[in-house]
Amino acid sequence: AADLECEPLRFNLSHTQGLAACVVTRRLDCGIDVESAEGQCDINAVVDRVLSLDEHIRLERVPEEDRRLEFLRLWTLKEAYVKARGMGMFLAMDKCIIKSPGETPDIELGPELGDEARGWQLFQYFPTPLYSLAVALRHGNDEKARILINEMHPETL
């Protein structure tokens, strides 16, 4: 049999109440996170540990009724990055600063993280108004990755 060289696959998983997500890449470090706005997490208990001062100020400017979802948008982006780095909660999340949450967010990384923001590409997706899903990919060069989203619903399986 001929030796076949296959590019290594990398993957990451996340789930929350009512939704599961998976990212699969060839060669690229990847992370994914999904959260539901209906979850029970007390965001006030974690805000100071995970948000930078600028992010905290921006969050305070958001109307109270939208604050939880806005926090989850920031959280999912940070968590996807942390998972892609493979460092879990040992990474200082307040030094990973999301400059513009949305479909193509920008990230700024403090020198404490030993990483460069230009090597990362972030994506954010909102499967429904109550869910925030984020993907982080380390592309490592100027070539941007593209992402293909496939949705599967239980009633179609």
Side-chain angles (χ1 to χ4, degrees):
D3 284 333
L4 296 176
E5 283 200 38
C6 296
E7 295 182 73
L9 290 179
R10 298 193 181 212
F11 70 94
N12 196 246
L13 305 169
S14 182
H15 65 89
T16 189
Q17 160 184 354
L19 186 66
C22 177
V23 60
V24 180
T25 69
R26 287 189 210 123
R27 302 181 316 275
L28 301 179
D29 291 338
C30 60
I32 192 166
D33 191 45
V34 62
E35 300 290 340
S36 167
E38 294 180 329
Q40 301 302 313
C41 175
D42 177 11
I43 66 169
N44 295 320
V46 296
V47 139
D48 293 332
R49 290 192 319 244
V50 300
L51 297 186
S52 70
L53 181 57
D54 287 347
E55 290 168 328
H56 199 286
I57 291 168
R58 280 187 309 187
L59 187 63
E60 289 297 317
R61 292 182 180 148
V62 172
E64 182 69 36
E65 64 272 11
D66 299 329
R67 202 167 288 160
R68 180 177 185 76
L69 188 55
E70 186 62 23
F71 172 79
L72 291 177
R73 289 176 176 182
L74 293 166
W75 172 264
T76 55
L77 288 161
K78 289 172 178 265
E79 182 70 10
Y81 168 75
V82 167
K83 289 173 74 177
R85 290 280 310 265
M87 300 179 75
M89 298 306 285
F90 295 108
L91 198 86
M93 291 180 87
D94 62 331
K95 304 302 181 198
C96 166
I97 302 163
I98 306 303
K99 300 305 264 180
S100 56
E103 288 184 28
T104 54
D106 289 325
I107 188 172
E108 180 181 305
L109 302 173
E112 307 87 340
L113 301 179
D115 200 0
E116 293 188 31
R118 70 175 182 214
W120 289 92
Q121 194 171 353
L122 301 178
F123 300 89
Q124 196 156 47
Y125 177 63
F126 307 102
T128 75
L130 293 177
Y131 290 99
S132 179
L133 185 149
V135 174
L137 300 175
R138 183 195 307 259
H139 56 78
N141 56 36
D142 292 331
E143 183 181 329
K144 298 290 184 183
R146 69 183 176 93
I147 190 166
L148 174 64
I149 298 171
N150 286 317
E151 291 186 30
M152 291 186 280
H153 301 271
E155 62 273 4
T156 62
L157 295 178

